[in-house]
Amino acid sequence: MDFPLSPRIGATAEPPIPSVRAWASRYDGRAGPVLDLTQAVPGYPPHRDLLAKLAECAGSTATASYGPIDGEAALRAALAEDISGVYGAPVATADIAITSGGNLAFTMAMTVLAGQGEAVMLPAPWYFNHRMALTALGIPCVPLECRAEDGFVPDPGRAAALMEGVRAIVLVSPNNPTGAVYPPEVIARFAELARRHRAWLVLDETYRDFLGAGQSPPHALFGDPAWRENVVHLYSFSKAYCVPGHRVAAIATGPAFRAALMKALDTMQICAPRAAQTALAWAIGALRGWREGNRAVMAARAEAFRRAAAQLPGWRLDALGAYFAYLRLPAEAPEAVATAERLAVERGLLGLPGPFFGPGQERHLRLAFANAAEDAIAAVPARLTEG
C-alpha cells in the first residue's frame, strides 16, 4: 500500500548531479579516467592553517553547544568588514546573519519573502537548486529568459513586463550555470525595478571572490542606505575558502527582513556549525593573500578552457566565468540530455545538460572547470569530439 507524501516534493526535480554520475557507472574507461565537471567545487584543498584551525575549533567544548541564532559575532563582524572593503560602502555587523550553507540561505529567504500565491522571478537558465527550492515551498516561479546573444545577462526591460504578482527578483552574479557577470548598471536597474513594484531584490554573489582582479565593485547597492529596505544579499564561504562540507553561508539584509528571518533561522537550523564559523572568522583576515592566489588559479583555468573551446569544431562557447563554461552543442548533435548521457557513457566526460537549468536550454551543456587542473582541461576537446 502506498501512503501519500508531499505533492510539492513529488513535483520537485530529481537532484541533477547524482543523475549524471549514475550514467558514468556504464563507462568502460576507454577514453581515460572519468573527468567529472558536474559540480562547482574548488580543485585545491583548504589552506593548511585553516584546516588546523578547524580541527582546533572542532575539538573545543566552546563550539559544542548551541550558538547565537544569527551566527557568531566574530564571523558576522569579519564578514561585514570584508563586504565593506569589497564594495566600498559600509555594511554593519547587524546586517549579517550566518546560515548552514548557501542553499539553506536561499530557502530561508524565500520562506520569509513569499506568501500564498506570490511569485519569484528567476532568470533562466537558473541554478537548479533555486528552482527546486521554490517548487518544494510551493512558490510559483516566473522565468525571465536570458539570451546567448546578450551574454546571458538578464534584461530589466523585459523583466518589467513580467512583474505582476512577483514578490522577489533573484539574480546570481557571477552566474551559475553560465558564468556571466552582470554589469553594475544592470544590477542597479533591477534594484530600481524591484523598488518600483514594492518587490525584493535577492542577489546571490556566491562566486564574487572569483571576479577579475582589480575590477571595480560588482555593484553600488550598498552605497545607498535604502538597500536595507528591499535587498537581500547572499554569500557562501564554500568556494572562496574551499570548505563546502562545513556548510557556512551568510545573508546581509535590513532590520525588517532580519526580524522575520530570525524565525526561519531558529526553525530550520537553530544555529550554523560553530567550529567552522569560529575558524572562518579568523580566515577572512588571515587568508586574504591566499584567496587572491586562488582567484588567479581560477582565472588561469578559465583561460585554459577558452583555449580548449577554440579547438572544438561546431561547438560554441556562449559564456565563460567564475567556475563555469556554457557551451552550445553543434547543430548535428542530439539534444543536450542525450548528448550529455553519451559523453558520460562513452567518453567518461561528465557535464550537466542545459535542460537541468530551465526551459529553452536544450542546446547547451554546462561544464564546471574549477576542479580540473589545466592538463585535464586540455583533454576536454578530445573527449567532446572523438568517438
Side-chain angles (χ1 to χ4, degrees):
M1 180 183 297
D2 293 330
F3 291 87
L5 298 171
S6 165
R8 294 195 303 272
I9 292 297
T12 300
E14 295 295 327
I17 292 173
S19 299
V20 174
R21 288 175 175 170
W23 294 337
S25 65
R26 292 149 43 207
Y27 172 56
D28 62 9
R30 73 185 77 171
V34 169
L35 182 53
D36 188 346
L37 303 182
T38 57
Q39 194 162 35
V41 292
Y44 40 80
H47 193 282
R48 63 181 181 276
D49 292 344
L50 177 55
L51 288 172
K53 185 69 72 171
L54 285 164
E56 174 191 341
C57 295
S60 168
T61 57
T63 62
S65 60
Y66 289 126
I69 293 172
D70 57 354
E72 302 295 315
L75 179 56
R76 292 169 55 222
L79 181 58
E81 181 180 0
D82 185 64
I83 292 174
S84 299
V86 170
Y87 296 89
V91 172
T93 301
D95 298 324
I96 305 294
I98 304 300
T99 70
S100 298
N103 279 4
L104 188 57
F106 180 82
T107 299
M108 288 191 288
M110 296 301 105
T111 301
V112 171
L113 283 177
Q116 184 70 32
E118 294 173 332
V120 170
M121 181 181 290
L122 292 185
W126 50 54
Y127 174 42
F128 50 77
N129 281 144
H130 285 175
R131 183 65 181 95
M132 292 165 71
L134 294 180
T135 304
L137 293 169
I139 298 172
C141 173
V142 174
L144 172 62
E145 180 189 3
C146 298
R147 302 177 299 186
E149 54 266 37
D150 299 327
F152 289 104
V153 174
D155 183 345
R158 298 178 67 228
L162 303 172
M163 286 300 296
E164 184 176 355
V166 169
R167 175 50 58 98
I169 303 168
V170 176
L171 301 180
V172 181
S173 179
N175 185 255
N176 179 4
T178 66
V181 176
Y182 301 168
E185 58 272 20
V186 170
I187 295 174
R189 288 181 61 196
F190 271 103
E192 293 167 4
L193 175 66
R195 177 172 287 274
R196 191 162 67 246
H197 287 268
R198 298 191 70 249
W200 290 79
L201 178 65
V202 179
L203 182 58
D204 183 333
E205 294 189 283
T206 293
Y207 299 94
R208 57 100 162 155
D209 295 278
F210 301 98
L211 290 166
Q215 286 189 355
S216 57
H219 55 79
L221 297 187
F222 294 129
D224 179 0
W227 77 267
R228 295 177 174 87
E229 296 175 359
N230 76 318
V231 172
V232 177
H233 178 267
L234 307 181
Y235 176 75
S236 172
F237 295 90
S238 294
K239 317 302 180 184
Y241 298 89
C242 306
V243 289
H246 286 280
R247 312 309 302 140
V248 184
I251 297 175
T253 189
F257 183 96
R258 200 174 185 284
L261 175 65
M262 292 293 282
K263 299 177 186 179
L265 290 166
D266 191 50
T267 301
M268 296 185 183
Q269 69 177 25
I270 300 181
C271 65
R274 297 193 70 195
Q277 289 188 71
T278 303
L280 287 165
W282 164 85
I284 287 175
L287 299 183
R288 279 200 173 90
W290 177 74
R291 286 161 57 198
E292 288 297 321
N294 292 339
R295 185 205 303 262
V297 168
M298 284 299 115
R301 291 182 182 181
E303 285 307 308
F305 199 97
R306 192 182 299 279
R307 292 193 298 272
Q311 305 171 36
L312 292 170
W315 293 76
R316 191 174 79 198
L317 183 60
D318 274 348
L320 177 76
Y323 279 23
F324 308 112
Y326 208 58
L327 289 164
R328 179 178 288 275
L329 275 59
E332 68 276 9
E335 294 294 290
V337 173
T339 294
E341 183 175 6
R342 182 184 67 81
L343 288 169
V345 173
E346 299 180 7
R347 307 302 303 162
L349 176 66
L350 277 59
L352 295 184
F356 288 177
F357 303 102
Q361 305 304 309
E362 291 79 8
R363 304 305 302 169
H364 282 92
L365 179 73
R366 190 199 80 174
L367 299 179
F369 55 76
N371 68 334
E374 291 185 38
D375 58 344
I377 293 171
V380 168
R383 300 283 185 114
L384 288 175
T385 56
E386 292 179 7

